[in-house]
Amino acid sequence: MTEITSSFTARTRTSLRETLIDAATDILAARGYAALRMADVAAAAGVSRQTVYNEFGNKNALVQAVVLRTTGEFLDGIHQRFATAPDVLSGIRDSLIYTIEHGRENRLVASALGTPQGEDLLPLLTTRGEPVLSAAMATTAAQYREFLPSLSGEAATLLAETVVRLALSHLVLPTHSAAEAADLICAAIAPAITHYASTMECEQR
């Protein structure tokens, strides 16, 4: 009985947390960071303001939870693209197209990039974007090493950081279609991929 009760409590808390994050996401996309109030999140979720504070502690922690969940959605999509890619460069290209297209369609990212009320969300992708950058780098570096097992951790991280930073640049300042941006980034990193692949072939002989 205790295990059943604990499991139900855990599911209930997860459901509450997701409900609060959903509410905060809606408000952030519509009004921006400055206008986000814990009382409004509580009202939208149908709970007390104290419940929101009990779950997240403060506004910054709530916003970070929103950012991390949104980042997780992007990373899941990237993982799916690599899972069906025939080679690492194809995986990078497909994941870049997905990231840029999804970023332009995602209501929170689109608000940060294209609306006056969402301008104060932009630092979450730039000057305060370390959690996003770190998560994206870790995921992509792991994907690269699956295709290129001889790739060192340092080299994979450097390659991942290059790709992620270039993707963010095209997302924040869109001057090309997603496919065009992906092609440009792939052209820039292809020599490095070729070098690592050649090194791996030599080591296997």
Side-chain angles (χ1 to χ4, degrees):
M1 182 67 70
T2 301
E3 290 183 2
I4 295 175
T5 303
S6 298
S7 176
F8 176 76
T9 301
R11 290 197 304 271
T12 301
R13 182 170 182 180
T14 299
S15 176
L16 170 63
R17 189 175 182 85
E18 289 301 307
T19 298
L20 295 174
I21 292 175
D22 285 342
T25 300
D26 290 339
I27 295 171
L28 283 169
R31 307 179 197 171
Y33 178 85
L36 177 70
R37 298 193 313 145
M38 301 292 260
D40 292 337
V41 173
V47 299
S48 69
R49 184 175 63 173
Q50 188 59 48
T51 298
V52 184
Y53 279 105
N54 289 345
E55 188 64 34
F56 293 100
N58 56 55
K59 174 178 171 177
N60 286 336
L62 172 57
V63 172
Q64 280 300 313
V66 171
V67 171
L68 290 176
R69 190 181 72 172
T70 302
T71 301
E73 293 170 0
F74 277 87
L75 298 183
D76 286 344
I78 290 171
H79 178 75
Q80 292 171 18
R81 270 70 189 172
F82 272 101
T84 58
D87 55 71
V88 66
L89 197 58
S90 297
I92 291 173
R93 184 180 186 278
D94 291 346
S95 65
L96 283 167
I97 292 174
Y98 162 77
T99 297
I100 296 171
E101 287 182 342
H102 189 57
R104 293 173 181 175
E105 296 169 356
N106 180 275
R107 54 183 175 160
L108 192 60
V109 177
S111 177
L113 299 177
T115 65
Q117 68 271 19
E119 284 183 356
D120 60 2
L121 296 173
L122 191 56
L124 298 175
L125 292 174
T126 54
T127 56
R128 292 169 54 197
E130 193 276 334
V132 174
L133 183 64
S134 294
M137 285 170 50
T139 296
T140 51
Q143 298 289 348
Y144 300 165
R145 296 194 73 185
E146 287 190 14
F147 282 93
L148 302 171
S150 66
L151 193 64
S152 69
E154 182 179 355
T157 299
L158 177 60
L159 182 60
E161 182 173 0
T162 300
V163 172
V164 170
R165 287 186 181 276
L166 287 171
L168 283 174
S169 176
H170 280 280
L171 187 57
V172 171
L173 186 62
T175 55
H176 300 83
S177 70
E180 290 169 341
D183 286 339
L184 288 170
I185 295 172
C186 285
I189 65 169
I193 296 292
T194 301
H195 169 73
Y196 292 132
S198 298
T199 300
M200 183 174 68
E201 289 177 2
C202 290
E203 291 177 350
Q204 290 175 343
R205 289 174 185 171

